[in-house]
Amino acid sequence: MYRASLLASVAIGAILSAGTPALAQIMNNSSGSIETVVVTAQRLNAARSGIQTQTGASTYTITSRDIEAQPGGANSLLNQVVLQAPGVAQDSFGQLHVRGEHNGLQYRLNGIILPEGISAFGQTLNPRLISSLQLVTGALPAEYGLRTAGIVNLHTRNGLFDSGGDISIYGGSHSTIQPSFDYGGSSGSFNYFVSGDFLTNTLGIESPDGRSNPLHDRTQQYHGFAYLEDILDEHSSITAVLGTSHGQFQIPNQAGLQPELGWTLNGQTSFPSAQLDENQSEITHYGIVSYLRSEGGFDFQISGFGRYSSLLFTPDAVGDLLFDGIAQNAYKRDVTLGTQAEGALHVGDNHTIRAGLVIQSDTTASRTTSQVLPADCTGTGTLADPFACAPLAATNPAYDIPISIPDNSSKQGWTYSVYLQDEWKATKSLTLNYGLRFDQFNGFIDENQLSPRINAVWKPTATTTVHAGYSRYFSPPPFELVGNETVIKFLNTSASPMITANDTPRAERAHYFDIGIDQQIIDGLILGVDTYYKASRNMLDEGQFGAPIIQTPFNYKDGRQYGVELTGTYDSGPFSTYANVAFQRAQGRDIVTSQFDFSPEELAYIAGNFIHLDHEQYTTISAGASYLWQNTRFSADLLYGSGLRREGLVPNGDHVPGYAQINLGVSHAFDLASAGVLTLRVDVINVLNTKYQIRDGTGVGVGAPQYGPRRGFFFGVSKSL
């Protein structure tokens, strides 16, 4: 709570100091009325949105009104909001998979790239800051690159259009307590919006055994956000976005387990799993400053952005050694700085030329100290003759003392991207968008690609829209997650790899095809269908390897993903509803990088066979409904998944059982006249108390079992400010 309050104090101080000159200027200018400021702000916001295009892509929009209408409202985590979009499957640790991709999501704030950070559990962004959210997928136009599974573009609230605010308290099951605030306002040409919250509960990470309140699973999380904007004149504005998040997580335990690998530590061989004490801390700070100018037929925006993120995993030194043969104290840090310059030139009535440049620098640091035990390992490290390790302490008790192995590294990488495209209104009903994008990645491996893009949107009638597109994609591995550990340091220890090959992850190169149609049936009712196919070379995936909960990228030599999505929305007065059904396949063949993370048997089979990716979920359904009756809102939503992959007769040859989670909510707003509005809400999450697995701990790159949340009752009260 202190961190969020501190951010709010800093932001409000900046508002007051920056707003005074702007207010004086507007007071001295008779044309600078509040009406003029509002109209100018609306026009500049439209220009900012028009610099980028979604022509031909699949775009799904969720507004702040939609968020408030779902159970939990803005108290939900951002990943729970995105899960309502089509083709999005949930995974453990809050991960999301869009159209069969492991990760591949790029987050943007008002169109500006928010660099990737090092985070396993925490949610950096909070739904309270959202005016609207767009998930853009499919064959993307040229301005989108590097992370192409989906673009999550958040349009932030501002004080000019969202004045006032709320203070609230929310809590209930799992010892949840969540106080929060948000407030926006304006003074002359200056406007601001700030928000902050604190969250603590005993379900910080998914339960490993299905308990409603897992052992050792307390979390404390802080979030803060500030949006500041000054309308400089009728043609330009400057904005700043500041944010911070800090999360502390206990790693939950299963009860009733004992070490089974045969290691001995200082004469000790047993350790009750319920007493394990592993913890992880995650910190993120980010900032964006943008200058926007719109004059005549030319719109231009240049932005500077930065992000600091760090992760610290602290092990249970004794328990981890006995259970896993290794106890790692791991620290990772990534600092990203960059600039994004984009513009749109309107040429006549039929052409809009768009161009952009993005330059980004990443500096990572990794500090890992591993405690391991001496072992007798034999073999050559080949597929035919892997290492076989036995504890030396079994024959000589003097070898039950751990060895400390430091493995530290740092690296700087650069990414350069440039694009040029033309949006051409060929006829009244047909629009084409075509362009080229070039990306250069200099990191652990230097790679580049020129990527053509072409999209079309055809409106044969006023109620029918058809889109189609092709995109060539280039996706480097997440720089902040690539390690350069020296595998041979761990030979003849309890952490000896079965395979010593460790080729560096490479960029994925893919061909992507997408076609879809939206049809308005009656007023308020829209149905849609979208199909896609992706063929990849060096397809990227990620897995959890080792004790720290940190994802590690690797490549399949070949990959393919394809599927179909069905969508429907209906909005009529006080009633609204939506439903999305997605079917997809995601497969890879021949693991060609980070091989030491896998068993010889897995590598041998996958080398000659396509397997289902561990994050593939064949069927995903999301649906919801909301009805407002005399200031009382009733809401419900549903998530269904046929289950992520698990080990079968072959790697990832089976899937966990399917599941359905139903949530209900009701809220009522009391009008207190001059005192404002008081809102009470009650939510029931997983109303049927379904016990379902997200993961069972098996599968390629899967580390431990996780279960979805059990039934929870939550209550909230908020007061307008």
Side-chain angles (χ1 to χ4, degrees):
M1 190 65 174
Y2 169 77
R3 290 177 180 269
S5 300
L6 178 62
L7 177 68
S9 300
V10 172
I12 292 172
I15 290 165
L16 295 177
S17 61
T20 303
L23 178 60
Q25 179 182 358
I26 215 75
M27 292 293 289
N28 292 330
N29 188 347
S30 59
S31 64
S33 65
I34 187 62
E35 292 83 3
T36 301
V37 172
V38 171
V39 170
T40 301
Q42 290 173 333
R43 184 174 59 80
L44 291 175
N45 283 347
R48 176 189 290 119
S49 299
I51 290 174
Q52 298 175 347
T53 180
Q54 288 85 47
T55 300
S58 301
T59 303
Y60 193 85
T61 301
I62 300 173
T63 67
S64 58
R65 175 175 173 265
D66 297 327
I67 295 173
E68 284 298 334
Q70 72 179 46
N75 300 292
S76 304
L77 298 177
L78 180 61
N79 67 315
Q80 295 168 341
V81 174
V82 180
L83 276 172
Q84 303 304 317
V88 183
Q90 71 169 330
D91 200 347
S92 52
F93 313 141
Q95 297 176 90
L96 300 176
H97 304 300
V98 177
R99 293 190 169 188
E101 302 277 359
H102 175 82
N103 194 344
L105 289 178
Q106 182 183 93
Y107 289 85
R108 295 188 173 209
L109 294 174
N110 301 321
I112 308 305
I113 295 171
L114 181 63
E116 295 174 84
I118 301 171
S119 177
F121 309 131
Q123 300 283 307
T124 300
L125 302 170
N126 192 287
R128 288 180 182 82
L129 63 88
I130 297 174
S131 173
S132 68
L133 177 155
Q134 287 182 316
L135 175 62
V136 187
T137 61
L140 302 176
E143 72 263 29
Y144 301 117
L146 305 180
R147 298 291 165 258
T148 53
I151 309 300
V152 182
N153 190 17
L154 308 181
H155 297 277
T156 61
R157 297 169 61 183
N158 67 45
L160 196 59
F161 307 120
D162 295 291
S163 60
D166 298 277
I167 185 169
S168 66
I169 182 74
Y170 187 76
S173 297
H174 318 302
S175 303
T176 299
I177 302 175
Q178 186 177 10
S180 64
F181 77 94
D182 59 76
Y183 191 81
S186 61
S187 177
S189 64
F190 183 80
N191 76 82
Y192 58 92
F193 174 81
V194 295
S195 70
D197 71 89
F198 167 76
L199 170 65
T200 182
N201 61 44
T202 56
L203 192 62
I205 305 172
E206 292 87 353
S207 172
D209 54 15
R211 296 177 184 227
S212 179
N213 291 291
L215 299 174
H216 195 260
D217 201 10
R218 168 69 67 178
T219 183
Q220 293 186 343
Q221 303 175 45
Y222 307 83
H223 303 90
F225 176 81
Y227 174 88
L228 315 173
E229 180 183 41
D230 194 10
I231 308 297
L232 302 177
D233 53 46
E234 62 178 326
H235 299 295
S236 60
S237 68
I238 187 168
T239 61
V241 173
L242 306 171
T244 185
S245 67
H246 185 185
Q248 298 281 354
F249 301 89
Q250 294 178 332
I251 310 301
N253 303 331
Q254 297 184 66
L257 302 179
Q258 283 288 343
E260 297 180 346
L261 298 180
W263 302 110
T264 301
L265 174 64
N266 296 322
Q268 182 177 343
T269 59
S270 63
F271 193 99
S273 58
Q275 295 182 13
L276 284 167
D277 185 18
E278 300 173 331
N279 297 271
Q280 191 152 299
S281 173
E282 301 176 4
I283 299 174
T284 295
H285 309 299
Y286 61 89
I288 299 171
V289 177
S290 301
Y291 172 77
L292 171 67
R293 185 165 186 85
S294 176
E295 188 170 4
F298 183 60
D299 305 320
F300 173 76
Q301 181 170 256
I302 183 169
S303 307
F305 56 81
R307 177 168 181 164
Y308 167 92
S309 62
S310 66
L311 180 152
L312 174 64
F313 174 85
T314 53
D316 187 307
V318 176
D320 284 6
L321 272 169
L322 293 177
F323 274 100
D324 303 320
I326 183 171
Q328 287 185 306
N329 188 293
Y331 172 78
K332 279 183 171 286
R333 182 184 70 241
D334 180 67
V335 178
T336 303
L337 297 172
T339 184
Q340 179 177 342
E342 298 177 297
L345 176 64
H346 304 276
V347 182
D349 296 328
N350 298 326
H351 290 272
T352 300
I353 309 297
R354 295 181 173 90
L357 170 70
V358 179
I359 301 174
Q360 179 175 308
S361 167
D362 284 87
T363 304
T364 66
S366 178
R367 303 287 183 265
T368 301
T369 301
S370 302
Q371 298 289 323
V372 294
L373 292 164
D376 178 19
C377 297
T378 59
T380 63
T382 65
L383 289 175
D385 187 15
F387 286 106
C389 296
L392 285 177
T395 56
N396 187 341
Y399 288 104
D400 67 354
I401 300 173
I403 303 169
S404 180
I405 300 179
D407 197 4
N408 304 325
S409 64
S410 61
K411 184 73 174 179
Q412 184 176 35
W414 289 87
T415 305
Y416 310 90
S417 302
V418 61
Y419 70 86
L420 176 66
Q421 61 186 341
D422 175 28
E423 183 176 315
W424 173 33
K425 295 182 180 179
T427 69
K428 289 184 178 180
S429 60
L430 177 64
T431 301
L432 299 176
N433 190 82
Y434 49 91
L436 288 172
R437 178 185 180 94
F438 178 78
D439 296 291
Q440 173 72 47
F441 174 69
N442 297 336
F444 292 95
I445 293 181
D446 295 347
E447 299 182 86
N448 60 65
Q449 181 174 288
L450 182 66
S451 305
R453 312 281 180 89
I454 183 168
N455 302 82
V457 175
W458 178 45
K459 290 183 65 67
T461 71
T463 59
T464 305
T465 303
V466 180
H467 72 266
Y470 162 78
S471 293
R472 179 80 165 128
Y473 287 151
F474 173 81
S475 302
F479 181 77
E480 69 281 359
L481 298 182
V482 177
N484 58 355
E485 296 88 353
T486 304
V487 176
I488 61 174
K489 287 184 177 182
F490 296 92
L491 297 181
N492 295 312
T493 73
S494 52
S496 282
M498 291 184 287
I499 296 294
T500 56
N502 184 24
D503 292 330
T504 302
R506 305 183 66 89
E508 176 185 291
R509 303 169 189 269
H511 299 278
Y512 200 107
F513 304 87
D514 183 278
I515 185 169
I517 181 171
D518 292 316
Q519 177 67 51
Q520 180 178 322
I521 307 301
I522 59 175
D523 287 345
L525 175 61
I526 299 176
L527 302 180
V529 60
D530 202 300
T531 62
Y532 61 92
Y533 179 82
K534 179 183 178 184
S536 305
R537 195 74 169 170
N538 290 328
M539 182 181 66
L540 278 170
D541 198 357
E542 296 176 17
Q544 179 201 334
F545 307 102
I549 313 299
I550 302 172
Q551 297 292 310
T552 300
F554 62 94
N555 296 96
Y556 291 90
K557 183 178 180 180
D558 303 300
R560 59 194 183 197
Q561 291 142 286
Y562 51 92
V564 60
E565 297 170 354
L566 308 175
T567 62
T569 60
Y570 179 70
D571 194 340
S572 178
F575 178 72
S576 64
T577 185
Y578 68 92
N580 305 302
V581 182
F583 306 96
Q584 55 96 1
R585 284 297 191 207
Q587 298 173 318
R589 177 176 60 187
D590 194 5
I591 295 173
V592 292
T593 61
S594 303
Q595 298 94 328
F596 75 95
D597 285 323
F598 303 91
S599 71
E601 295 79 12
E602 286 177 328
L603 289 174
Y605 181 85
I606 299 170
N609 298 275
F610 274 99
I611 67 166
H612 299 279
L613 303 187
D614 68 281
H615 52 266
E616 177 199 275
Q617 181 165 268
Y618 181 67
T619 304
T620 303
I621 299 175
S622 61
S626 171
Y627 182 71
L628 181 63
W629 177 72
Q630 295 185 355
N631 292 332
T632 300
R633 182 178 297 279
F634 303 91
S635 60
D637 63 30
L638 161 74
L639 289 176
Y640 168 82
S642 59
L644 301 176
R645 308 304 298 189
R646 69 180 178 188
E647 205 70 16
L649 296 177
V650 299
N652 296 342
D654 198 358
H655 63 82
V656 299
Y659 65 89
Q661 179 180 317
I662 300 173
N663 308 316
L664 300 176
V666 59
S667 64
H668 183 81
F670 297 90
D671 188 350
L672 306 180
S674 59
V677 177
L678 181 71
T679 302
L680 303 180
R681 70 178 306 130
V682 178
D683 300 302
V684 185
I685 304 302
N686 193 359
V687 64
L688 300 180
N689 199 28
T690 304
K691 182 179 179 179
Y692 66 90
Q693 281 188 323
I694 299 174
R695 294 286 195 182
D696 74 348
T698 68
V700 177
V702 179
Q706 288 92 26
Y707 285 77
R710 301 297 295 273
R711 180 168 54 213
F713 298 90
F714 300 91
F715 310 89
V717 56
S718 63
K719 170 68 172 60
S720 63
L721 298 174

